[in-house]
Amino acid sequence: MDHHRSRRPFSGSHHRQSVYTRDRNDRKGRCDNSLLRPRNHHQWQSGSTPEQNPLTSQTLSTRKELYERDFPLYKQPVEVGCFSLDAQRRFFNDGRQMRYYVEPDKNPNFDLRDGYEDRYVKRDESVKEKLDHILRWILANRLKLKSKASSHALDFDFVTWRGHLTKLLTTPYETRDGWLLAVTKFKDTLYISEVETEAARRDRENRPEWNHKMMYWGYKFEQYMCADNAHGLPDSSGVVNTNEAFCTVVQTRLTDHKLLFSGEVDCRDKDPSVPPPACYVELKTSAEICTPKQRSNFHRFKLLKWWAQSFLPGVPRVVAGFRDRDGTVVSVDTFPIAKVSQLIKNEPNCWKPTVCMNFTCDFLSFLKRIATEDNPSVVYLVSWEPLKDVTYSVHRDSCFSFLPLWYVEAMGSCQDSHHQP
């Protein structure tokens, strides 16, 4: 579905890589927009040329042609842990919310509208959780994360949500929605948290009813496809509660960038011999494809986001339910992430996985270069709008700060405590 989730990655040129939304982001309060335009904002310079080196300027270009290089090294993601969020959004350092994939009939006839009016508990999207759940997991698992080779608190260059990285992968091809990312350097690790843009806030607060219904349809599809245990069957009569989540935590490396990130996972294969993340399945819904134009748009736009979201954490396949206009799933199809590149290769001017990954790699290098002050109260606010360069501004003791005091104090102490807020 369109909120958040072969054994080998899509294949391109000679590279080692691996297959691999609904993510929680920023802050309860909103900042005054004037804060987004401080005097120390690094603007795009009119003297810059198209040939500017994207790795040395104070801005970063998102022009696709700059990133058409060999596919960068992306190590096979390794799951280092997981956590669950219950019906009240409480954190648990375990897999209690894991669900199991159940193969549907060929023509399932699922009614996605069922329960929308009376069995739907919707998460409050105005509550911005930032990185808090990931940070709770880090504190509960500090001992196994501690670097043996260095004095760093964490042996990672970046900590973030998978959804934030997905936005970066798709940026060179995004034409509608910009983004704001808050970046803080703390004990040699860069933490990346999303800030809701004013445009995104307006869209969320004025979302039309049909949009609410289609979001529900995605969750409802999961209910038809998942069982609570490996030997059970789906139960579509229950409540759809979008507070609940199971999240994987993976580590990997993109060239010289060591990454720790978490992302929501819809379900896993019932076969206990398949280890995570190779056992995971991402579930999606999409309108049924009836014309060549619809198929082309599906390849160009939807498959890009599905690929990016699943490739990052090593989820090997997306199972999609195709629905009619009335919200009935009329067919189900499986898309192995390793074969997506074959599906899109005949589309003219289509997206390229190598561009997505090279831009993300250069963006992370850009962050390392600009975010130099190691201080949890300093935020580098990185901003991008379609057809423009990435720019940034620096904020001290502002409402953009997102590392909570309980985390900073726990990581600052010398004791290996399992402190919880």
Side-chain angles (χ1 to χ4, degrees):
M1 60 179 275
D2 295 331
H3 74 279
H4 298 326
R5 294 337 127 229
S6 82
R7 310 286 151 187
R8 294 200 44 84
F10 108 23
S11 52
S13 56
H14 42 98
H15 55 271
R16 274 173 56 209
Q17 81 199 76
S18 146
V19 302
Y20 317 34
T21 276
R22 213 170 20 183
D23 285 339
R24 326 302 172 197
N25 32 40
D26 51 8
R27 189 170 186 85
K28 283 188 181 178
R30 291 202 303 272
C31 294
D32 189 308
N33 267 354
S34 63
L35 286 172
L36 304 185
R37 295 180 290 276
R39 282 173 293 181
N40 59 351
H41 197 123
H42 296 268
Q43 300 281 358
W44 178 79
Q45 299 299 313
S46 59
S48 299
T49 66
E51 290 74 37
Q52 68 180 350
N53 183 343
L55 297 182
T56 59
S57 71
Q58 290 296 299
T59 62
L60 184 69
S61 174
T62 60
R63 286 170 46 242
K64 297 183 283 291
E65 57 268 30
L66 292 173
Y67 303 101
E68 294 191 6
R69 315 189 286 269
D70 287 346
F71 200 99
L73 168 73
Y74 190 57
K75 283 193 71 174
Q76 187 91 12
V78 174
E79 182 176 84
V80 291
C82 64
F83 60 86
S84 297
L85 304 174
D86 73 0
Q88 286 77 46
R89 210 73 189 146
R90 292 176 300 190
F91 172 92
F92 293 90
N93 184 35
D94 57 38
R96 67 184 65 190
Q97 292 289 349
M98 168 66 75
R99 294 177 298 175
Y100 294 82
Y101 174 73
V102 177
E103 194 79 36
D105 294 337
K106 198 65 181 169
N107 300 299
N109 209 39
F110 297 149
D111 180 7
L112 301 181
R113 298 167 299 177
D114 177 51
Y116 178 71
E117 302 292 345
D118 59 336
R119 303 196 311 280
Y120 183 24
V121 177
K122 190 169 179 291
R123 182 172 76 86
D124 183 354
E125 293 179 85
S126 69
V127 176
K128 303 304 179 184
E129 298 168 330
K130 300 158 284 186
L131 298 184
D132 287 8
H133 295 311
I134 303 173
L135 303 182
R136 289 187 176 97
W137 182 87
I138 289 173
L139 291 188
N141 296 274
R142 284 173 70 187
L143 285 175
K144 65 177 170 183
L145 294 176
K146 181 95 173 86
S147 169
K148 299 177 179 63
S150 75
S151 59
H152 299 174
L154 295 176
D155 192 24
F156 296 101
D157 298 314
F158 297 94
V159 170
T160 192
W161 282 106
R162 178 267 312 273
H164 303 349
L165 294 173
T166 300
K167 284 195 173 181
L168 293 175
L169 259 70
T170 59
T171 291
Y173 299 98
E174 179 59 57
T175 57
R176 289 193 324 171
D177 300 321
W179 44 252
L180 276 173
L181 294 174
V183 180
T184 287
K185 187 174 187 179
F186 176 54
K187 292 189 174 293
D188 290 318
T189 296
L190 291 165
Y191 295 81
I192 305 173
S193 181
E194 188 175 16
V195 177
E196 185 176 55
T197 64
E198 281 301 304
R201 179 187 64 81
R202 285 194 302 271
D203 287 349
R204 173 174 56 80
E205 293 178 350
N206 299 294
R207 194 177 285 150
E209 178 64 13
W210 64 265
N211 197 294
H212 285 285
K213 286 182 178 178
M214 289 180 66
M215 290 174 68
Y216 172 80
W217 290 358
Y219 290 99
K220 185 65 181 182
F221 179 62
E222 294 180 16
Q223 195 179 60
Y224 280 112
M225 299 288 286
C226 299
D228 289 337
N229 60 72
H231 306 291
L233 293 173
D235 177 10
S236 63
S237 67
V239 172
V240 169
N241 188 328
T242 62
N243 287 295
E244 298 175 338
F246 169 82
C247 295
T248 180
V249 183
V250 302
Q251 67 175 30
T252 184
R253 184 161 59 85
L254 175 56
T255 64
D256 59 345
H257 306 305
K258 289 182 284 187
L259 305 172
L260 179 74
F261 60 87
S262 178
E264 190 164 342
V265 173
D266 291 330
C267 56
R268 67 155 291 155
D269 195 287
K270 287 186 176 184
D271 185 348
S273 67
V274 181
C279 63
Y280 293 142
V281 180
E282 174 70 21
L283 300 175
K284 299 288 188 185
T285 60
S286 191
E288 61 179 328
I289 297 171
C290 303
T291 69
K293 176 67 172 174
Q294 289 172 338
R295 182 165 300 281
S296 177
N297 285 339
F298 174 77
H299 288 162
R300 293 167 63 85
F301 304 111
K302 193 150 279 193
L303 270 188
L304 166 59
K305 294 189 174 173
W306 291 5
W307 170 83
Q309 187 185 52
S310 293
F311 179 82
L312 281 164
V315 175
R317 58 182 167 143
V318 173
V319 175
F322 290 91
R323 49 175 169 71
D324 63 20
R325 291 181 180 179
D326 296 325
T328 299
V329 173
V330 294
S331 65
V332 174
D333 202 359
T334 297
F335 296 86
I337 295 302
K339 296 182 179 177
V340 167
S341 59
Q342 297 300 308
L343 287 176
I344 65 170
K345 68 179 182 181
N346 293 323
E347 290 287 345
N349 302 312
C350 201
W351 58 276
K352 297 178 181 178
T354 186
V355 169
C356 300
M357 293 297 284
N358 279 319
F359 169 76
T360 301
C361 184
D362 284 8
F363 178 85
L364 297 177
S365 296
F366 177 73
L367 291 189
K368 283 182 176 179
R369 195 172 70 253
I370 66 171
T372 54
E373 185 170 347
D374 201 308
N375 184 338
S377 69
V378 173
V379 170
Y380 297 82
L381 195 66
V382 188
S383 173
W384 176 75
E385 290 294 330
L387 305 178
K388 295 185 179 178
D389 288 354
V390 175
T391 61
Y392 74 97
S393 53
V394 183
H395 305 262
R396 297 176 184 278
D397 301 306
S398 71
C399 59
F400 296 114
S401 298
F402 61 88
L403 288 184
L405 187 60
W406 50 261
Y407 181 77
V408 171
E409 290 181 342
M411 293 299 283
S413 71
C414 296
Q415 306 159 358
D416 282 309
S417 67
H418 288 248
H419 176 78
Q420 287 285 336

